[in-house]
Amino acid sequence: AQSVTQPDIHITVSEGASLELRCNYSYGATPYLFWYVQSPGQGLQLLLKYFSGDTLVQGIKGFEAEFKRSQSSFNLRKPSVHWSDAAEYFCAVSSGNTGKLIFGQGTTLQVKP
Amino acid sequence: NAGVMQNPRHLVRRRGQEARLRCSPMKGHSHVYWYRQLPEEGLKFMVYLQKENIIDESGMPKERFSAEFPKEGPSILRIQQVVRGDSAAYFCASSPGLNSNQPQHFGDGTRLSIL
């Protein structure tokens, strides 16, 4: 069965520091992978997606993610975090031919001034 | 260019009442997904609909929950005889096509509280 694991429930970084959020997936075929961000009381905003091709994908707000098939990982990175990046981040894989998303548990990012 | 519209944003019901959650997909999108986010948990898929058809309801509870996406009008998620455990945020997402590589766009959700 398909699954997504985000090992870190909470992460705290200082403003200006680099960030990496981990995501591991289990999926039999070539996965379609996504990162979404959710601010409190809001819906989910798509940060970036991987379908095929270049394994390093660029997203909005300065985020990027790297697909590593050998490690079944799709980690999200940002070189310098801003206070406005504090939010909850969800990694997801698209399942089968219906497009339904399977989400990880989410990682809450806190940014220290 | 309106995004996915969900209403109401907040809904309060007493145990045993019915809850109706509405979702209007983005313009040009004919595929709708419903997800539920329980407190302190991630989002879980509930149901996938196209116009007038339920395609995948594998995530729907067997009782009290139903969904529809009529030819005209919004998609409706209906919960009958609500219980405390139904308290959650319910999100709707839409996409334009069948291909799995079409990213889903999410609404801001309906926060359902059961008294």
Side-chain angles (χ1 to χ4, degrees), chain B residues 49-61:
Chain B
L49 310 103
Q50 297 175 28
K51 284 284 187 180
E52 300 183 279
N53 285 300
I54 297 174
I55 308 301
D56 180 351
E57 56 182 346
S58 58
M60 287 280 269

Side-chain angles (χ1 to χ4, degrees), chain B residues 77-103:
Chain B
L77 179 68
R78 182 182 179 206
I79 311 173
Q80 294 178 287
Q81 299 174 329
V82 296
V83 301
R84 287 257 170 87
D86 298 331
S87 295
Y90 293 82
F91 290 95
C92 170
S94 71
S95 74
L98 263 175
N99 296 330
S100 293
N101 63 355
Q102 299 278 10

